[in-house]
Amino acid sequence: MLAEINNYWQMFYNEQNAKQLTKNSLMTYNRIYEYFYQYLADSVDNKQISAINDINNATLVDYINKLNLANTSKQLHITVIKQFLWFIADNDIQKHGILKNKVTGVTLKKIDKPVDAFTEIEQQKIKSLIQELDKTNGLKNNRLSLILKLLLFHGVRISELCNLTWDDVSIEYDDTHGEVYKFNYFGKGQKVRDLDFPVLFVQSNMDIIRAKIPSQYVVPSLSGNASTRENIYTTVKIHLNKNGITDVYLHKFRHTFGQNQVNNGVNITTITELMGHSNPNVTFKFYLRGNKKAKRSAVIDGIK
């Protein structure tokens, strides 16, 4: 099913591209599909869905209500996903025509919940996995280690990770931190993202990948092409599941990175820039809601 829906998405995406949509619009379509694909992959694993025709209004309601997004963004997801599913129905009426009647209307529920981030225990498991991967010289292990580091400690979006090239990376010297890799690339909305990473933390991973896979991409596929979100998601999910982390989706790493900055007391302006948000209001909305540990410390530490 997942391979079939990926094929349909490529056809749908090509059709949108032929309509000469803006680059930003096409990037938005791909980001929405990334969310939806990961939801479907989890649903297949949990045996909730086994075929495209199993998708219905209840599926979309469950998918939408699990998104940690504002209602306006959820509405955009509904619009794009319904457009995509109707495309599938029109493309093969005999096989999937039933979809049009099964995805007609979706009601949004207002949900105000904390950002869905990895717990401290889960983060420690991921860090331990990275340490184990770094003990080897194997290509696949070092590639996975670099992916996990960029996701957990960089807050990179998966679309940005897949398209990150060596032209986006340079080395600078910092009096405090020594040599650092400077990642400078265009993120969501063509917003320039300018982030640093200590050279020693990832140099071995990057050297091994570059030596064994000649490619313009920092995290290429094993064939040297740009990695796909599906490949990265599958690889990460398999290894995290083996380490006892079952609730996995790639954007959760980004949520974790943002929430960690808040918990560490980083100021709002810096967090906004690190996350590549369009303005501080976005950061406030999703990350500055407080948490049990922070609220408890605020009271108890004030008594001391």
Side-chain angles (χ1 to χ4, degrees):
M1 171 200 160
L2 294 177
E4 182 183 14
I5 205 162
N6 266 337
N7 289 335
Y8 278 123
W9 176 259
Q10 192 58 56
M11 294 165 59
F12 174 74
Y13 180 85
N14 289 340
E15 182 177 280
Q16 306 313 307
N17 193 24
K19 294 177 181 178
Q20 297 185 332
L21 296 182
T22 66
K23 184 177 181 180
N24 284 348
S25 295
L26 292 173
M27 288 177 64
T28 298
Y29 272 65
N30 266 333
R31 278 194 296 272
I32 290 174
Y33 179 64
E34 174 190 326
Y35 278 99
F36 190 56
Y37 177 87
Q38 290 177 13
Y39 171 83
L40 291 179
D42 288 338
S43 297
V44 169
D45 287 346
N46 296 330
K47 302 188 184 306
Q48 296 171 320
I49 295 175
S50 60
I52 291 178
N53 285 346
D54 290 340
I55 300 172
N56 54 31
N57 276 346
T59 308
L60 295 192
V61 169
D62 184 54
Y63 160 68
I64 289 299
N65 286 332
K66 285 183 177 178
L67 292 177
N68 191 36
L69 299 171
N71 269 14
T72 52
S73 296
K74 288 183 178 181
Q75 188 59 59
L76 179 59
H77 276 248
I78 291 173
T79 301
V80 172
I81 296 304
K82 283 180 62 177
Q83 185 181 358
F84 171 47
L85 294 174
W86 281 36
F87 169 84
I88 295 176
D90 289 337
N91 191 267
D92 194 338
I93 295 176
Q94 185 173 0
K95 187 176 181 181
H96 297 302
I98 191 174
L99 277 177
K100 276 203 170 181
N101 293 326
K102 298 181 77 173
V103 290
T104 53
V106 177
T107 302
L108 291 178
K109 292 182 180 179
K110 290 186 177 181
I111 297 180
D112 186 19
K113 62 179 182 179
V115 166
D116 187 14
F118 289 112
T119 65
E120 291 183 7
I121 293 176
E122 289 173 332
Q123 290 182 59
Q124 189 54 54
K125 288 182 178 180
I126 296 172
K127 292 174 183 177
S128 296
L129 172 59
I130 290 173
Q131 291 175 353
E132 289 302 312
L133 294 170
D134 282 346
K135 292 178 181 178
T136 73
N137 292 320
L139 170 61
K140 291 183 178 179
N141 283 353
N142 277 273
R143 178 176 177 271
L144 175 58
S145 176
L146 181 58
I147 289 171
L148 292 174
K149 289 174 182 178
L150 290 173
L151 289 173
L152 186 62
F153 301 111
H154 193 309
V156 65
R157 297 181 178 91
I158 185 60
S159 57
E160 297 167 350
L161 176 61
C162 290
N163 292 298
L164 189 65
T165 70
W166 290 107
D167 289 339
D168 302 322
V169 184
S170 60
I171 295 181
E172 293 187 1
Y173 183 81
D174 181 283
D175 289 338
T176 303
H177 304 99
E179 284 190 323
V180 296
Y181 279 117
K182 179 167 285 296
F183 294 85
N184 190 288
Y185 56 90
F186 288 105
K188 181 179 178 181
Q190 290 299 291
K191 183 177 177 62
V192 175
R193 299 200 67 191
D194 184 1
L195 301 168
D196 299 330
F197 234 38
V199 167
L200 292 178
F201 187 48
V202 292
Q203 185 170 28
S204 178
N205 305 131
M206 295 172 76
D207 287 348
I208 289 173
I209 293 171
R210 201 168 192 181
K212 297 189 176 183
I213 311 180
S215 174
Q216 65 175 312
Y217 298 102
V218 176
V219 187
S221 67
L222 297 181
S223 63
N225 298 317
S227 292
T228 64
R229 66 177 64 82
E230 293 82 9
N231 171 264
I232 290 178
Y233 170 68
T234 300
T235 302
V236 170
K237 181 179 173 63
I238 288 173
H239 284 81
L240 263 58
N241 284 173
K242 288 180 179 178
N243 284 269
I245 304 174
T246 56
D247 186 12
V248 178
Y249 62 94
L250 295 179
H251 212 69
K252 193 171 184 177
F253 284 92
R254 181 168 164 80
H255 290 166
T256 303
F257 174 78
Q259 193 61 58
N260 283 344
Q261 307 316 306
V262 174
N263 295 345
N264 291 334
V266 179
N267 71 71
I268 182 64
T269 302
T270 301
I271 297 175
T272 299
E273 293 179 357
L274 286 172
M275 297 299 294
H277 287 157
S278 56
N279 61 73
N281 289 335
V282 178
T283 312
F284 270 113
K285 182 175 181 64
F286 291 109
Y287 295 99
L288 295 183
R289 299 183 181 183
N291 57 63
K292 183 177 180 180
K293 182 178 179 181
K295 287 186 286 188
R296 178 177 294 166
S297 296
V299 175
I300 296 177
D301 291 349
I303 298 173
K304 296 178 180 178

